[in-house]
Amino acid sequence: MGIRPAELISSSAYIADVFMYRMRSSAEQVGTLIHWRERAGLFAGGLVASSLVTASLAAPAMAVAGGPPSVTPVSGTPQLAKTSTTEQVRQLVQCGSTMYGVGRFTSISSHGTTYTRDNIFSFSATKPYAVTSWNPNVNGVVNSIAFSGSNCSDAYIGGKFSKVGSTSVSNIAEVDTSTGAVVTSFKHSANGQVETLLGVNNHILTGGYFTSVNGSSRHYMASLNPSTGSDDGFLALNISGNYSYAPNNGTRVYNQQLSHSGQYDLVEGDFTSVGGLPRQQIFMLNLTGTTATVTPWTSPEWDGSSNAYPYQCATVEPFYLQAASWSPDDSTIYIGTTGYHPNGYPTGATPRTGLCDVAAAFPATQTSVHHLWVNYTGCDSLYSTAADGSTAYFGGHERWSQNASDCDAKGPGAINAPGMEGLSPTTGLLTYNPTRGRGLGADDMLITSAGLWIASDNASNTNNCGLTSTGKPDYGHAGICLLPY
């Protein structure tokens, strides 16, 4: 989910924390600070004629009732309390009738009451969205939370922290969702921060910066037994390598998304070899066997296998494929990227190319594939995506949609779409445009039966999401927004 606009962060100490969230080295931080001082401002506006890079189109995704959601958000959902520093909700996950939020924050506001909550909290998934008494009190950023199947009595958390309550842990833990206490029978030690957790088929798939987790020497991704935390052997991927043109960007796993069928898992990160196969940016796992295997799905547009595709992005933002989602029928994969612009390209009014700072769709066919469509933001990053039957949604700190002819400026045909966009699954054209406060950028999107949940931040007091019934920005949604079906 990447670098956020550094000039929006009021504390220099917090700058380091925000950069730590996803993957930047000190050299990259300097380049990005310079870059972001040239890129600021909030934009709103209406629709104009569109232009878009388009290839052969995918079949429509399976219909899902309710999509797209209303552009008017639900009132009364919890939000980040006002503070003097920038705070962020990194992920939202629902288990049963309860919603869980994790990230980097110290307090949550709900219905006029402020609750002290350090980096993790829960609330009712239905009105009045009441904050629960659950308070594990984690002393560092929590990047991810997961559950094992339908068991909501325990949550698995990962990030960069050393204590949950008074219990010493190291970047990973299982936590009782009633008491907030650490479940000590689950091992709780990773030697680098954990970025992503996923519970599937009695495995906890764990990815991050680590080279050792719970006594196992698996590098960057491991499968853990949900009862003991020990390596259960389901993943043996031998992940290695990083981009030679960005040597300060170390190997790591960054994000993952389970298919609706439960058969496949998309995994994003910085690597060049996975499971003995050449893979960069993203790979797909088949989860149906006794051990997971890397599938043939890939693309020369991001894996560097063909000189015909300029897959390398600007060196100040060298890791760019940060988020993915599945269409409801699992036939199409949507990706959201950072990257600014292709390495060596100018930032002015030049037609965009490649996959830097784009929303894009690819077939999920088990072979080497090419894009179905690409929608350019005009050099603003996207950090999250989700999809229902009507729309593919993307969130970040983007200013425009369909901006294929300029970078850091509104080119011909571009449409103002700050903070989020909803695109046609078949054409990639903007079809849903509620707008959102840009802030650092929407870090997570989650579709439930209730609608589209968006996790974000309060940078520069950003708290608007969607539109009121009169078409004006709707405020009071710092960090959490629900656009209802």
Side-chain angles (χ1 to χ4, degrees), residues 183-194:
V183 180
T184 56
S185 57
F186 182 89
K187 297 178 181 179
H188 39 267
S189 179
N191 70 348
Q193 71 171 302
V194 172

Side-chain angles (χ1 to χ4, degrees), residues 160-174:
K160 189 174 179 62
F161 49 81
S162 59
K163 281 192 174 183
V164 177
S166 59
T167 303
S168 294
V169 298
S170 183
N171 303 322
I172 190 169
E174 180 182 1

Side-chain angles (χ1 to χ4, degrees), residues 368-385:
S368 182
V369 297
H370 294 81
H371 71 260
L372 303 168
W373 49 256
V374 177
N375 186 319
Y376 289 91
T377 64
C379 297
D380 285 335
S381 294
L382 299 174
Y383 304 116
S384 57
T385 174

Side-chain angles (χ1 to χ4, degrees), residues 46-51 401-402 410-415 429:
L47 301 177
V48 296
S50 63
S51 63
S401 184
Q402 297 173 206
K410 185 178 180 180
I415 301 172
L429 293 170

